[in-house]
Amino acid sequence: MFDPDDLSSNPRVNSNTPLIGDLIESRLSRRAVLSGMLSAAGMLAASRLSFAADKRQNRFTFQEISRGSDETHHVPQGYTTDILLKWGDHLFDESAPEFDPFNQTEAEQLKRFGYNNDYIGFVQLDKNRGLLCVNHEYTSTPLMFSGIQDGFPKTIRLEHVMVELAALGGSVVELKRDGDRWKPAIGSHYNRRITAHKTPMQITGPAAGHERLKTSADPSGTIASGTFNNCAGGITPWGTWLMAEENFNLHFLGQLPEEHMEAASHKRYGLDHTRFAWGAFVDRYNVEKEPREPNRFGWIVEVDPKDPTSTPKKRTALGRFKHEGAETVMAPDGRVVLYMGDDQRFDYVYKFVTKHAYIADKPDPDLLDEGTLYVAKFGEDGYVDWLPVQHGHGPLIKDNGFDSQADVLIETRRAADLLGATPMDRPEDVQPHQESGRAWVMLTNNHKRTAGQVNVANPRPFNAYGHIIEIVEPNGDFAATRSRWEILVQCGNPMNRPVQTTWNKATSDNGWFGSPDNGAVDPIGRLWVATDGNQYTGGADGLWAMETDGERRGTGKAFFRAPVGAEVCGPQFTPDGRTLFLSIQHPGDGKGATFEEPTSRWPDFRKDHPPRPSVIAIRQENGKLIGS
Ligand code: FEO
Ligand code: CA
Ligand code: CA
Ligand code: CA
């Protein structure tokens, strides 16, 4: 979700008097840039694990597509696209009537594919069957319903809100292989809708049952009624689906008096008070009626897609913030490591290391309830220190208002502020790669960073195009608390010199991009980057191949272009690398775009019908590996 108005709520940078540590850090970083300390390209080459992915046979050989923007999508020559699942497709009955956008009801939407698909996970069942796990991030009321004018609540009714709640959350859909194609199995017993209001979820881990999670509907503080704003995510080694609750702050109306014990915390999480209409109709979204309800959002939700009757679990040990994703890898000792971004200007990068090792023969279904959450502090020495967000550690004590680990987790952001974590340029997906011991951090953009606020890991003021940081874990030990890092690329137009991009010279005029959002690694270890906001460079959002090794390191190459208004998310490859699933989110959007007047009616192009966010599947017509 690209939101140019998404302001920082980090008091360390909003204040006119930055912390002394920040000032020193920014001075050092400017000096470092000037003296060329950071230009030591390949500084980490020796410490990267040797990995065969960059070798000649794995190079991207597809024919690059051209930059541009129009009402439809584009793939390279020799590739084909199947529209797999569209908003409104019925998941449970093949003979159900076609989606009718003029007659939407909550009951219908509960049975149909949700809105604004984001993360895509793929859990293969056997050679010919798999489960697609798709997040539905947010709703665009004026694009979803006919007759909505700007400025709620003039034209928004309870019926609209209930459809929106039913259109959020996620979908599990079984796919079956038909020759070279994957097709949805409508009516499969695996198919499931998870929603914002009708899917009970257990709250687990150190904050479960805490006073600050109790509401009038749930005096136990352990059962939440759903999930929303699920952005990116992950699939665990044991085949569960992690859904990251991101911009929950936009959905709560009302304002608490300053002296209320939750007021400062709500402010740190950027509760919006005005954006969505839900709180005008449903009490739980009105903080004046349910002041603790927001504390039950901003978590990572774990779902077992193989059991459609299973209760999803909100894993509080993983912290509470505007979670973008939760990709997992394994440390050499078998502990599981998750990388996570907090997507707001000047917020932080985290990782979580489980306490116990994953045992494939006897997996612990609650492995994510115990472990250590760390926040990243990037140093000018080329190391990142992972600081434990742990009660009793440093400033995380009673004197600072943290009575327990539950308090620390409920207010993860404030805890990380006090620890001195590095304020970043909107951390989106953090994509680790098991075999090479690396993780790539997508920092989408931050045009609010001033020259006085740069730091070594975020060196550009007015960073409108974002950058990608590469973290290298020592000897592939993802559980390490001290890792190496460097900037893989500073994005934007390389011809625009003041922007100071760092693309490899081999990058063509189609190959550069801005606003990296979701990363994916294909089965032979190559990085791919999807964008959200590249449209502000004059071209559409899309998917780019990204060289990370050898002489072409830092080269982008354009693979896919979305229809106008859309961002691209959820890049996900099948394990054989021959099918690529992409989420096309908010097609036809744009300033003032509505149901009646969208910027595109993709993918149906039916006169009078709105655009439909959809999941697509891309494959080569010759059946070969994607990208080669
Ligand atoms: Fe939902 Fe951070 O993108
Ligand atoms: Ca985004
Ligand atoms: Ca995103
Ligand atoms: Ca990813």
Side-chain angles (χ1 to χ4, degrees):
M1 179 179 186
F2 178 76
D3 184 356
D5 300 322
D6 182 26
L7 299 174
S8 167
S9 56
N10 188 337
R12 296 170 67 199
V13 291
N14 282 349
S15 148
N16 287 330
T17 50
L19 292 185
I20 287 179
D22 290 344
L23 284 173
I24 293 169
E25 199 172 38
S26 70
R27 280 189 199 126
L28 282 171
S29 78
R30 277 202 302 280
R31 212 162 53 219
V33 170
L34 289 172
S35 66
M37 283 167 65
L38 300 179
S39 65
M43 178 176 77
L44 303 185
S47 62
R48 276 181 215 117
L49 293 188
S50 69
F51 182 69
D54 71 314
K55 303 303 182 281
R56 270 168 291 280
Q57 78 271 19
N58 290 340
R59 200 151 273 175
F60 301 106
T61 54
F62 64 88
Q63 197 172 327
E64 185 168 45
I65 63 164
S66 62
R67 181 176 302 283
S69 181
D70 59 27
E71 63 178 0
T72 194
H73 62 273
H74 298 266
V75 290
Q77 201 173 15
Y79 285 76
T80 188
T81 306
D82 301 314
I83 310 288
L84 212 59
L85 287 158
K86 298 183 278 196
W87 165 49
D89 282 352
H90 207 290
L91 301 184
F92 304 99
D93 180 2
E94 246 176 332
S95 62
E98 213 182 313
F99 175 56
D100 179 356
F102 290 93
N103 288 295
Q104 297 180 57
T105 64
E106 178 196 6
E108 274 301 307
Q109 182 61 73
L110 285 168
K111 293 181 256 176
R112 293 174 182 267
F113 194 63
Y115 200 75
N116 270 349
N117 32 258
D118 198 298
Y119 175 75
I120 302 171
F122 184 71
V123 177
Q124 193 140 15
L125 297 173
D126 59 40
K127 187 167 169 285
N128 295 313
R129 296 183 313 144
L131 300 179
L132 210 64
C133 305
V134 182
N135 287 356
H136 299 296
E137 189 191 13
Y138 75 103
T139 46
S140 311
T141 319
L143 275 172
M144 283 178 78
F145 304 103
S146 111
I148 298 289
Q149 282 138 34
D150 250 355
F152 104 87
K154 275 184 263 174
T155 49
I156 296 177
R157 301 187 307 274
L158 174 63
E159 296 78 40
H160 296 124
V161 173
M162 299 316 286
V163 172
E164 290 191 46
L165 295 176
L168 292 169
S171 296
V172 179
V173 186
E174 184 184 351
L175 300 186
K176 284 191 173 150
R177 196 198 287 271
D178 177 7
D180 284 345
R181 292 180 63 174
W182 288 93
K183 290 184 174 170
I186 304 306
S188 158
H189 75 278
Y190 287 110
N191 292 2
R192 178 177 192 183
R193 277 301 323 280
I194 286 164
T195 70
H197 65 318
K198 288 277 168 81
T199 311
M201 310 206 154
Q202 193 184 345
I203 301 173
T204 73
H210 191 276
E211 277 305 307
R212 296 177 69 184
L213 297 187
K214 293 178 180 173
T215 62
S216 51
D218 173 29
S220 76
T222 58
I223 304 288
S225 64
T227 184
F228 57 80
N229 271 93
N230 309 87
C231 195
I235 298 291
T236 64
W238 49 99
T240 58
W241 164 31
L242 302 177
M243 307 168 76
E245 294 183 334
E246 195 195 30
N247 296 316
F248 66 94
N249 58 313
L250 301 180
H251 293 88
F252 292 93
L253 273 189
Q255 196 138 18
L256 294 176
E258 243 175 66
E259 62 276 14
H260 192 284
M261 71 166 288
E262 297 295 345
S265 173
H266 286 355
K267 191 172 174 197
R268 181 64 184 87
Y269 283 97
L271 260 70
D272 183 89
H273 314 299
T274 59
R275 191 78 65 100
F276 277 78
W278 303 357
F281 302 99
V282 185
D283 285 356
R284 66 182 281 208
Y285 304 110
N286 184 331
V287 294
E288 291 163 25
K289 294 177 178 162
E290 286 293 348
R292 294 168 177 162
E293 189 68 46
N295 292 347
R296 294 146 64 84
F297 293 89
W299 305 105
I300 294 287
V301 181
E302 184 177 13
V303 181
D304 180 359
K306 289 183 188 163
D307 178 0
T309 66
S310 62
T311 302
K313 293 176 177 175
K314 294 201 178 192
R315 301 291 189 187
T316 64
L318 306 181
R320 175 171 172 258
F321 42 91
K322 286 167 61 167
H323 277 285
E324 169 73 24
E327 299 274 16
T328 55
V329 275
M330 307 260 282
D333 62 8
R335 286 180 293 165
V336 173
V337 181
L338 292 90
Y339 288 85
M340 302 176 288
D342 181 355
D343 182 7
Q344 191 153 348
R345 294 194 172 97
F346 303 105
D347 262 289
Y348 309 126
V349 172
Y350 296 83
K351 75 176 174 185
F352 178 81
V353 182
T354 58
K355 181 174 181 187
H356 302 291
Y358 163 64
I359 301 166
D361 295 343
K362 218 176 110 194
D364 172 1
D366 296 313
L367 195 64
L368 299 182
D369 279 343
E370 283 186 277
T372 306
L373 179 67
Y374 297 94
V375 68
K377 185 176 176 65
F378 291 84
E380 48 147 318
D381 57 358
Y383 284 91
V384 51
D385 284 305
W386 296 98
L387 313 173
V389 188
Q390 193 65 45
H391 185 248
H393 170 77
L396 308 186
I397 54 175
K398 198 174 174 64
D399 283 356
N400 286 321
F402 299 108
D403 283 349
S404 63
Q405 182 64 5
D407 274 329
V408 168
L409 293 168
I410 292 166
E411 293 189 66
T412 302
R413 280 185 167 185
R414 187 168 70 88
D417 295 342
L418 291 172
L419 290 169
T422 305
M424 310 297 286
D425 287 344
R426 291 189 56 200
E428 300 257 24
D429 193 16
V430 183
Q431 180 63 53
H433 177 223
Q434 185 75 51
E435 286 75 12
S436 69
R438 290 180 284 182
W440 292 285
V441 185
M442 307 296 152
L443 296 153
T444 201
N445 54 57
N446 180 1
H447 66 262
K448 299 283 185 195
R449 189 182 288 278
T450 65
Q453 291 171 329
V454 296
N455 60 48
V456 69
N458 303 271
R460 287 189 294 180
F462 191 76
N463 183 9
Y465 306 108
H467 56 292
I468 301 173
I469 285 180
E470 178 176 271
I471 291 172
V472 183
E473 300 290 11
N475 301 312
D477 183 2
F478 291 97
T481 54
R482 193 163 160 77
S483 323
R484 301 296 298 267
W485 72 274
E486 71 175 28
I487 291 176
L488 173 63
V489 66
Q490 294 178 181
C491 304
N493 184 350
M495 300 307 286
N496 186 356
R497 297 206 181 275
V499 171
Q500 295 177 17
T501 65
T502 61
W503 295 103
N504 187 305
K505 285 193 170 55
T507 304
S508 80
D509 186 48
N510 300 309
W512 62 267
F513 56 83
S515 300
D517 190 327
N518 293 137
V521 178
D522 68 20
I524 57 168
R526 301 175 304 182
L527 180 64
W528 299 74
V529 179
T531 67
D532 170 20
N534 184 65
Q535 52 198 285
Y536 295 91
T537 68
D541 275 307
L543 182 75
W544 276 261
M546 188 71 211
E547 302 271 6
T548 57
D549 296 276
E551 63 192 24
R552 292 174 69 88
R553 177 173 161 84
T555 306
K557 188 171 178 182
F559 179 82
F560 175 83
R561 218 169 87 193
V564 63
E567 69 170 277
V568 177
C569 14
Q572 179 69 57
F573 294 87
T574 48
D576 65 6
R578 291 167 203 281
T579 301
L580 165 64
F581 301 113
L582 292 180
S583 260
I584 309 305
Q585 195 189 87
H586 55 79
D589 202 356
K591 197 167 165 46
T594 61
F595 183 104
E596 288 78 15
E597 292 186 49
T599 57
S600 165
R601 295 185 190 278
W602 187 90
D604 296 340
F605 298 106
R606 276 180 66 171
K607 197 166 158 280
D608 301 337
H609 274 212
R612 297 168 74 179
S614 302
V615 169
I616 63 173
I618 297 174
R619 59 197 158 86
Q620 282 216 62
E621 283 154 6
N622 61 14
K624 288 190 173 165
L625 208 64
I626 298 280
S628 57

